[in-house]
């Protein structure tokens, strides 16, 4: 790690001067000489170098002459020191580099015609650049290809032993799945232990391999790189918003590649703090849903008991007529709409406009309601912003990260890579409180395994410990004496001993964590599904704000309270006003100034202030018959929500159910009309990622069949209902949004914000805080806690439509249990058990899983077979309306 000080704000390195090709250059003492040379704009060959990890020094290409030395030096592993005189060009260097290329080629097969890397191969480029023509002495290795991995093939005949794959996996991803092994007289890359590759399957090793030694199973032998259309777009799986290249041929997706590549190796090391350009398994190998044969290609209308294919015109006439008729007969509030946060900002904006302008109702919601809304509402109340306070760079450079209720490697893998970098490069102290033995917990300096459902109690303990140990920031609390007095009295009854007993974490550990958090100069809180998707999520986020406030971590650069979003555009959904409580720009729905602005711009009277219904209320009103027509875009409540929410009964009662989706979902099967929408690969627009960064979604291929982008269907529907929308492209919609929300399209970096809680702390805080620390956790009367959550290899239900991901992580139909619990109960892997909650019983197999904590069991939320989700009770937050249904007490019996 010796060559990293250049980017670490905590490492003081002297500024030095050295001479490169006759020019004086300043640099930080001790950084890689190669980095200094490339910072001058000069690119010298380097086949084993990549800026994301420390130099390895094996390829012998980055040679330079240093005055005073006889032989050329490898600039990547040489450290810059004051007074160095360096020459990077000259015939001697050219010949030395040429020799290195010849050496590599002498043991490299010349099978370029059948190599996927042909045309995208650094060895080819180098051979060409250095005029290597004598290949007569090439020696063959005859190493059999290793095709045991599910996603990658290893052809070690082509390997140049640069170790980039090993280093990216070990150093950047901290997974360490690969190694060199001497076999048949050659160094070969193998999965650890020479077993079939078992890893996170991110494919970053494939991305940095400069030759064709690692190949992508999905696209092998299909096309040469130049035969495919390459479109830069944003991943549609999670809120990290990774940039990717979608490589297509006509209407077929061939592969996905990443900005991380051996071709993009000369970045500034400071850039990795903003993201290293890699992808996770979902982004890289989960693309097959896009051109899946299961895609809907034609509209469907219910005729009798059947959904039958009809032309678009017939479908739209039927939908428009039914909506218009129901609105006329029963008023606007007989209609409601739900939309997925996998839609673009432009579509989300149009959706809320359609609901409010064409239907004149405020009954609308998005999938952000499943949890993100708890964070948004708390952040809006306390800080006035309604989103996270920090970007990836802040997270990477933090000195202390408090991760609570966040299994990031599974839900937001690339955010998790940023924390890994914080650990590895910036030496952050990372405290992980979780009821599962998470991947991040294993890497963290301070992992704390807590009892399930005690996240709120943990926060009580941290706030109490900060006050008890006098870790408060005087300046922050002095400004709000009343609020601080109220907080102190609110936590007066919190006993750290009781907190320790309830959470299972020793009292001293609370003190330790509070101290690390309070005393570090840049401290960040990150809370996710274990907080925002659980009961009391809203209050728990506010309590985290309390912790940040009293320790002086609000409004300070590099500090703050953050969450992650599971779907790609949950932040965009709330920013665009897809919620009954918000107008676009996160203005309150009752905000008169914004209402006036929108009414004028849209030339309409908005639905009355205070009106509207969110997801659970919409379903309730469907069941009561108050809502008669429901328009669902990309959501599948029947498959997502547990039986206790009676979704089927709600949908059954409807007089009109219109589902718009790229697939025929369980909910779609109940619909009166199903409209085929495209995926994000077939349309333009933008997503807003978890940092608040607005990222482009670009059309990579023609729409499949007769499917149409959601924004076009929304426009047609609005016009059918009497509006006069003239949008001809996503750009037209953006222009309108830009007028209403100037500055929203911050394409590139989100603006750094330093929010203040001053208004919140001096306006009603004292009264609200009093009750916040009195929430009693309902004790689990059953011996086990069943948790449902995400797997790294899946995202919602969408990923289950990608066969490659299903191959990696199929539905085993089994609950995962801790080995100790299984042994205690005499259960073998695969044994059948009966799982009983207050809502009924389900039979399932069991599967041993070391990451599951004792007395808990886990089932992936992506699958409904067996229907474990129906064992879940639902708790709806009284303030935010967020339904929590991911945890319940269960009894497990052997059958
Ligand atoms: S796919 Fe990712 S995790 Fe697996 S070996 Fe390659 S870099 Fe490592
Ligand atoms: S497999 Fe590729 S990246 Fe890995 S050592 Fe060989 S050439 Fe380098
Ligand atoms: S799923 Fe998330 S982390 Fe993975 S590539 Fe897509 S945006 Fe990135
Ligand atoms: S880049 Fe320096 S030895 Fe390979």
């Amino acid at each position: 790690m010796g060559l990293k000080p250049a980017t670490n704000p905590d490492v003081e390195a002297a500024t030095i001067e050295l001479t490169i090709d006759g020019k004086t250059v300043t640099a930080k003492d001790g950084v890689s000489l190669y980095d200094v040379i490339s910072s001058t704009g000069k690119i010298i060959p380097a086949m084993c170098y990549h800026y994301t990890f420390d130099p390895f020094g094996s390829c012998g290409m980055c040679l330079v002459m240093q005055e005073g030395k006889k032989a050329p030096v490898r600039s990547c592993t040489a450290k810059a020191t004051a007074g160095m005189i360096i020459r990077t060009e000259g015939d001697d260097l050219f010949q030395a580099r040429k020799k290195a290329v010849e050496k590599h080629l002498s043991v490299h097969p010349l099978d370029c015609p059948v190599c996927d890397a042909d045309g995208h191969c650094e060895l080819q480029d180098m051979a060409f650049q250095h005029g290597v023509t004598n290949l007569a002495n090439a020696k063959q290795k005859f190493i059999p290809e290793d095709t045991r991995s599910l996603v990658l093939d290893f052809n070690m005949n082509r390997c140049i032993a640069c170790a980039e794959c090993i280093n990216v996996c070990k150093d950047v991803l901290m997974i360490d799945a690969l190694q060199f092994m001497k076999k048949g007289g050659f160094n070969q890359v193998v999965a650890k232990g020479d077993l079939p590759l078992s890893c996170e399957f991110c494919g970053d090793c494939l991305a940095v391999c400069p030759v064709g030694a690692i190949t992508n199973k999905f696209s092998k032998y299909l096309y040469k790189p130049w035969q495919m259309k390459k479109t830069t777009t944003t991943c549609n799986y999670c809120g990290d918003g990774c940039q990717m290249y979608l490589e297509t041929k006509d209407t077929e997706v061939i592969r996905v590649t990443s900005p991380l590549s051996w071709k993009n190796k000369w970045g500034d090391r400071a850039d990795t703090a903003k993201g290293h350009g890699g992808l996770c398994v979902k982004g890289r190998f989960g693309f097959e849903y896009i051109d899946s044969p299961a895609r809907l290609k034609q509209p469907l209308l219910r005729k009798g008991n059947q959904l039958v294919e009809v032309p678009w015109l017939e479908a739209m006439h039927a939908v428009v007529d039914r909506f218009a008729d129901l609105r006329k007969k029963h008023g606007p509030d007989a209609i409601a709409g739900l939309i997925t946060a996998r839609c673009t900002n432009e579509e989300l904006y149009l959706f809320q406009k359609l609901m409010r302008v064409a239907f004149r109702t405020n009954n609308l919601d998005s999938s952000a309601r499943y949890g993100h809304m708890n964070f948004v509402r708390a952040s809006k109340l306390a800080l006035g912003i309604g989103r996270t306070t920090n970007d990836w760079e802040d997270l990477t450079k933090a000195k202390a990260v408090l991760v609570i209720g966040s299994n990031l490697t599974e839900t937001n893998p690339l955010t998790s890579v940023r924390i890994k970098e914080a650990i590895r490069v910036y030496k952050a102290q990372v405290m992980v409180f979780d009821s599962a033995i998470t991947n991040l917990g294993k890497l963290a300096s301070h992992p704390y395994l807590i009892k399930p459902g005690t996240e709120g109690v943990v926060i009580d303990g941290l706030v109490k410990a900060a006050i008890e140990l006098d870790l408060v920031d005087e300046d922050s609390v002095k400004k709000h004496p009343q609020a601080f007095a109220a907080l102190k009295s609110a936590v007066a009854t919190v006993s750290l001993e009781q907190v320790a007993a309830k959470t299972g974490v020793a009292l001293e550990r609370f003190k330790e964590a509070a101290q690390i958090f309070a005393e570090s100069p840049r401290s960040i809180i990150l809370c996710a599904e274990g907080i925002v998707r659980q009961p009391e999520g809203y209050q728990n986020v506010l309590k985290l704000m309390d912790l940040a406030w009293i320790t002086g971590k609000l409004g300070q650069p590099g500090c703050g309270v953050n969450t992650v979003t599971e779907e790609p555009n949950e932040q965009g959904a709330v920013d665009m006003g897809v919620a009954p409580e918000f107008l676009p720009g996160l203005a309150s729905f009752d905000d008169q100034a914004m209402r006036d602005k929108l009414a004028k711009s849209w030339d309409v009277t908005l639905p009355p202030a205070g009106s509207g219904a969110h997801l659970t209320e919409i379903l309730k009103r469907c069941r009561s018959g108050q809502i008669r027509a429901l328009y669902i875009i990309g959501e599948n409540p029947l498959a997502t929500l547990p039986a206790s929410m009676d979704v089927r009964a709600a949908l059954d009662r409807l007089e009109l159910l219109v589902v718009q989706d790229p697939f025929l979902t369980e909910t779609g099967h109940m619909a009166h009309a199903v409209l085929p929408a495209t995926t994000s690969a077939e349309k333009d627009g933008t997503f807003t990622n978890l940092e608040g960064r607005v990222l482009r979604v670009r059309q990579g291929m023609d729409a499949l069949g007769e499917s149409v982008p959601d924004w076009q269907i929304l426009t047609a529907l609005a016009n059918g209902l009497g509006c006069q929308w003239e949008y001809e492209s996503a750009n037209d919609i953006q222009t309108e949004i830009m007028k209403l929300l100037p500055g929203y399209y911050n394409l590139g970096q989100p603006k750094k914000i330093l929010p203040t809680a001053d208004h919140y702390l001096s306006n009603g805080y004292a009264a609200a805080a009093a009750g916040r620390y009195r929430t009693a956790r309902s004790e689990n009367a059953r011996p086990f806690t069943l948790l449902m959550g995400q797997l790294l290899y899946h995202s919602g239900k969408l990923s289950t439509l990608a066969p490659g991901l299903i191959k990696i992580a199929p539905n085993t139909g089994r609950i995962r249990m801790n080995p100790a619990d299984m042994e205690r109960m005499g259960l073998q892997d695969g044994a059948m058990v009966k799982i009983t909650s207050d809502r009924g019983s389900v039979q399932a197999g069991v599967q041993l899983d070391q990451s599951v904590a004792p007395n808990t069991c886990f089932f992936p939320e992506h699958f409904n077979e067996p229907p474990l989700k129906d064992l879940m009770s639902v708790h709806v937050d009284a303030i935010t309306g967020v339904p929590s249904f991911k945890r319940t007490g269960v009894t497990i019996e052997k059958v």
Side-chain angles (χ1 to χ4, degrees), residues 405-483:
S406 319
N407 198 348
L408 285 177
T409 306
E410 309 288 323
T411 58
N412 295 74
L414 268 291
T415 299
S416 143
V417 173
R418 303 280 58 81
I419 298 185
K420 290 176 186 176
E421 187 166 0
I423 295 172
R424 185 176 49 90
V425 180
Y426 297 91
K427 308 286 175 255
Q429 306 215 63
V430 175
M431 296 154 278
V432 174
F433 287 90
D434 211 287
S435 57
I437 302 157
T438 65
N439 173 268
L440 217 50
K442 288 184 200 145
L443 300 170
S445 55
H446 296 80
Y448 308 103
L449 189 63
I450 62 170
K451 291 186 189 163
T454 63
E455 288 83 0
V457 188
V458 167
I459 308 170
D460 294 353
L462 291 170
V463 173
K464 177 78 177 185
I467 293 175
E468 229 173 50
L469 297 178
D470 199 16
L471 296 166
V472 294
D473 176 69
E474 284 305 317
D475 289 345
S476 302
V477 297
K478 248 194 328 213
K479 263 169 72 188
H480 300 284
Q482 272 183 339

Side-chain angles (χ1 to χ4, degrees), residues 435-437 449-452 783-785 817-821 824 849-857:
S435 57
I437 302 157
L449 189 63
I450 62 170
K451 291 186 189 163
F784 283 92
T785 301
M817 286 181 76
N818 180 283
D821 287 336
R824 184 168 46 81
D849 191 333
Q850 302 278 4
S851 68
V852 175
N855 305 318
T856 63
C857 55

Side-chain angles (χ1 to χ4, degrees), residues 542-554:
L542 287 172
K543 290 197 287 195
L544 287 170
M545 301 278 180
D546 285 346
L547 178 65
W549 160 51
I550 59 169
T551 52
K553 309 299 181 198
L554 278 187

